[in-house]
Amino acid sequence: MAGKPLRVLACGDVEGKFDLLFNRVQVIQKKSGEFDLLLCVGNFFGSTSETEWEAYRTYAKKGRRGIFSSASGLQIAYLSGTESQSETAPAYSFSSKDVAELKISLLSIQNFKGVDILLTSPWPRDVGNFGNKPEEVDTKRCGSVLISNLAMSLKPRYHFAALEKIYYERLPYRNHVVLQENTQHVSRFIALANVGNTCKKKYLYAFSIFPMSSMDLAELVKQPQDVTENPYRESGKEAHKSKMLSGSEEQPACQFFFDLSKQRGKKRQSDGKEGQHFQHKQPRKISQPPGSCWFCLASPEVEKHLVVSIGTHCYLALAKGGLSNDHILILPIGHYQSVVELSSEVMEEVDKYKCALKKFFRSKGKRCVVFERNYRSQHLQLQVIPVPLSCCATEDIKDSFILQAQEQHIELLEIPEHTDIKQIAQPGTPYFYVELDTGEKLFHRIKKKFPLQFGREVLASKAILNVPERVDWRQCTASREEAAVVAKAFREDFQPFDFSELQ
């Protein structure tokens, strides 16, 4: 990078309060020095006539969309007005044609990487997806889908908007798919309040920026710790993906209740038929396994004596031949092969179980490691293995996975904290995935062969649990009677943390 960064002020709805704005800018400049640019978004004139603006006018009219390039190389794209409800847009509105022409004018540039700044009046629709959401605005209803599409294409480093009378700075989001595309710069969306608002909400935003064209690539694509997924990437695809998974519309899995109450002296809600372990509730069409499945809760093959908790969409069971007596599996009740195939409601309950188990194991002085092997398996099994806090630090566990992977020539990559695994792997993609109690995640895309016991090998090693004899689950299974006793003890111990008991 050569020279000094540009110092920029961005402002929300001015609404004709020119004197108030420029007096405030002068005060700021006296305190912190001159700024190179003042950019305004939202309702600029308000009810004030344009003649009152003449004293401040220093620009030539550019039209309702366009690109401004400064002498330093800073590139600013802008789209004026609100979204028109027809293709013939009035002067104060923009249409899909305006958006298309603005995109074409930039995307046709050779080696286009994105713009430095995007200015719009409305917010982009769905900007809150995968990130922090404003309390006052529903981002799924507010804003323009056209602007979402524009931001998706132009990849602005900064995107400013207004009109909603609030200040909102979204977490930065990435413009590439992790492990599938080259790393690109992040985008920051900032909404600004109106000038002189009585609630003292922020309407001026100061920042420094080097033009993208003058930056070293490695510096440009640095990813901050709080980066999230692109909020617009799934906006138009989620429904289509659901249909593809199910053949038409997504069908929730069947619901079954397994009676665990007899051993606890309590009754669970049922249809009144006693003596049946499984009872249907609102039966629905689900995907069927190619043969009998040990883990579908409706299957006669399921090991009922290992079940310790049942929710609406998922259940917990002790691992058969586990690394320890509290090695637990989180499993979907219906037939799903991997996490990436789960519907949002099933995934929500998986997360609730992970949270409950984490709290439970913490109360026992343990941290937990979660891993999934989506390879040569037909039903999703999330393995949850507790590790005593006194045994080793989370960093040691992470290093053990990485070192063992290197020894076996396995490319185990760390995923950014806010990454959703569904953004990395498509349904049907074989993979191995580890999640640590700190939120750190490791991922390997399986291309050929993969050691089936890899996760157990790492955790059973001397560096962690020091139970190398338990690497192969088939060598350490207990009798049915012994396993039932252990499951009953775990069930009773876990009960205060079990949200399914509170439903």
Side-chain angles (χ1 to χ4, degrees):
M1 290 180 289
K4 296 180 179 179
L6 291 168
R7 303 184 71 229
V8 182
L9 272 175
C11 178
D13 307 275
V14 179
E15 298 178 334
K17 298 172 183 175
F18 307 129
D19 288 340
L20 184 58
L21 169 61
F22 282 100
N23 288 339
R24 179 61 182 155
V25 170
Q26 286 175 357
V27 170
I28 292 173
Q29 293 199 128
K30 284 179 181 178
K31 288 182 178 180
S32 57
E34 295 288 320
F35 281 81
D36 298 289
L37 290 170
L38 171 62
L39 307 173
C40 298
V41 291
N43 183 349
F44 188 70
F45 289 106
S47 59
T48 307
S49 67
E50 194 167 341
T51 56
E52 296 179 60
W53 164 240
E54 289 298 329
Y56 298 96
R57 185 193 296 274
T58 59
Y59 73 100
K61 196 166 184 179
K62 297 284 186 180
R64 62 189 174 202
R65 55 168 170 76
I67 307 156
F68 170 77
S69 296
S70 71
S72 62
L74 190 74
Q75 197 169 54
I76 303 172
Y78 61 90
L79 186 67
S80 298
T82 54
E83 183 177 341
S84 173
Q85 300 305 307
S86 66
E87 283 303 305
T88 308
Y92 53 82
S93 296
F94 61 86
S95 67
S96 58
K97 182 180 178 182
D98 292 307
V99 172
E101 290 180 357
L102 181 55
K103 286 167 63 174
I104 290 170
S105 62
L106 284 161
L107 297 178
S108 60
I109 298 173
Q110 190 174 10
N111 298 322
F112 175 76
K113 294 185 178 70
V115 296
D116 291 300
I117 299 171
L118 173 62
L119 306 176
T120 64
S121 288
W123 292 23
R125 181 74 59 86
D126 290 324
V127 69
N129 286 355
F130 307 123
N132 56 315
K133 297 175 175 62
E135 295 181 0
E136 305 96 325
V137 173
D138 182 355
T139 58
K140 291 188 176 298
R141 297 177 181 272
C142 160
S144 165
V145 173
L146 287 178
I147 291 179
S148 300
N149 295 336
L150 181 65
M152 183 80 172
S153 298
L154 300 193
K155 303 173 185 176
R157 294 166 65 200
Y158 285 88
H159 179 181
F160 293 96
L163 298 183
E164 300 300 325
K165 313 293 187 185
I166 71 164
Y167 169 72
Y168 164 56
E169 183 170 1
R170 191 203 184 279
L171 290 171
Y173 63 86
R174 63 177 65 89
N175 286 296
H176 64 278
V177 179
V178 177
L179 303 181
Q180 294 184 27
E181 298 175 338
N182 292 333
T183 306
Q184 299 181 44
H185 61 272
V186 301
S187 292
R188 290 173 166 83
F189 173 77
I190 296 142
L192 295 164
N194 50 313
V195 172
N197 65 84
T198 56
C199 298
K200 296 185 179 180
K201 294 180 180 179
K202 189 171 181 176
Y203 64 84
L204 279 173
Y205 184 92
F207 65 107
S208 297
I209 184 171
F210 282 100
M212 188 185 304
S213 57
S214 68
M215 292 184 68
D216 176 72
L217 180 60
E219 186 68 25
L220 175 65
V221 301
K222 277 186 177 178
Q223 305 290 294
Q225 286 293 322
D226 56 353
V227 68
T228 75
E229 289 304 318
N230 191 307
Y232 319 121
R233 192 174 298 281
E234 293 294 336
S235 297
K237 298 179 182 178
E238 193 63 34
H240 175 69
K241 185 172 77 172
S242 296
K243 290 179 182 179
M244 291 296 289
L245 285 176
S246 63
S248 56
E249 293 185 358
E250 185 181 66
Q251 299 290 334
C254 278
Q255 170 62 52
F256 299 94
F257 285 105
F258 174 55
D259 186 6
L260 300 176
S261 62
K262 293 181 180 179
Q263 296 176 341
R264 291 199 293 268
K266 294 193 290 185
K267 292 185 178 180
R268 296 193 62 152
Q269 187 174 359
S270 72
D271 60 359
K273 297 179 180 179
E274 298 297 327
Q276 292 185 353
H277 289 300
F278 295 101
Q279 297 155 17
H280 292 270
K281 180 183 178 183
Q282 299 176 352
R284 299 163 183 163
K285 181 182 177 182
I286 58 171
S287 59
Q288 296 296 323
S292 60
C293 177
W294 287 4
F295 301 106
C296 284
L297 197 52
S299 169
E301 305 291 333
V302 72
E303 306 260 13
K304 301 173 186 176
H305 64 289
L306 298 176
V307 176
V308 297
S309 172
I310 300 179
T312 305
H313 305 287
C314 306
Y315 71 100
L316 298 185
L318 279 183
K320 189 174 182 179
L323 287 167
S324 60
N325 282 345
D326 46 9
H327 178 166
I328 290 291
L329 304 181
I330 304 176
L331 306 114
I333 289 172
H335 190 74
Y336 295 89
Q337 186 172 351
S338 67
V339 162
V340 299
E341 293 186 4
L342 297 182
S343 65
S344 58
E345 58 186 2
V346 181
M347 192 66 228
E348 183 180 351
E349 191 163 280
V350 166
D351 288 338
K352 287 174 73 174
Y353 266 127
K354 284 198 290 188
C355 184
L357 286 168
K358 186 175 180 179
K359 291 179 180 177
F360 170 65
F361 287 129
R362 278 282 171 174
S363 73
K364 302 293 182 182
K366 300 178 181 181
R367 57 171 53 89
C368 58
V369 179
V370 180
F371 74 82
E372 177 194 3
R373 171 177 54 81
N374 181 32
Y375 173 70
R376 293 179 65 180
S377 60
Q378 63 172 346
H379 191 110
L380 165 62
Q381 304 162 53
L382 274 181
Q383 312 270 342
V384 184
I385 299 92
V387 177
L389 293 172
S390 58
C391 178
C392 56
T394 303
E395 192 64 31
D396 297 327
I397 298 173
K398 177 182 173 182
D399 289 344
S400 294
F401 270 102
I402 293 173
L403 289 172
Q404 184 87 333
Q406 289 174 345
E407 289 177 7
Q408 300 193 38
H409 305 289
I410 296 169
E411 186 181 30
L412 195 59
L413 302 175
E414 186 166 0
I415 308 172
E417 182 180 353
H418 294 280
T419 298
D420 183 343
I421 192 172
K422 293 186 179 184
Q423 301 293 326
I424 298 173
Q426 298 299 315
T429 301
Y431 63 83
F432 177 80
Y433 168 80
V434 184
E435 184 177 325
L436 305 175
D437 63 336
T438 56
E440 294 173 285
K441 305 168 187 176
L442 303 173
F443 178 88
H444 169 67
R445 187 186 305 281
I446 300 173
K447 296 178 181 177
K448 292 183 180 179
K449 293 183 179 180
F450 184 80
L452 298 182
Q453 306 296 346
F454 176 73
R456 291 179 65 109
E457 283 178 20
V458 176
L459 292 165
S461 66
K462 290 184 179 180
I464 304 179
L465 292 175
N466 194 22
V467 286
E469 71 280 3
R470 302 188 74 86
V471 167
D472 189 339
W473 68 271
R474 291 166 295 189
Q475 303 301 317
C476 47
T477 55
S479 68
R480 185 183 181 90
E481 291 74 19
E482 290 172 330
V485 171
V486 174
K488 180 176 182 293
F490 184 96
R491 186 184 307 130
E492 292 173 350
D493 212 11
F494 178 66
Q495 189 176 347
F497 300 85
D498 189 354
F499 64 88
S500 70
E501 292 293 318
L502 305 176
Q503 294 176 351

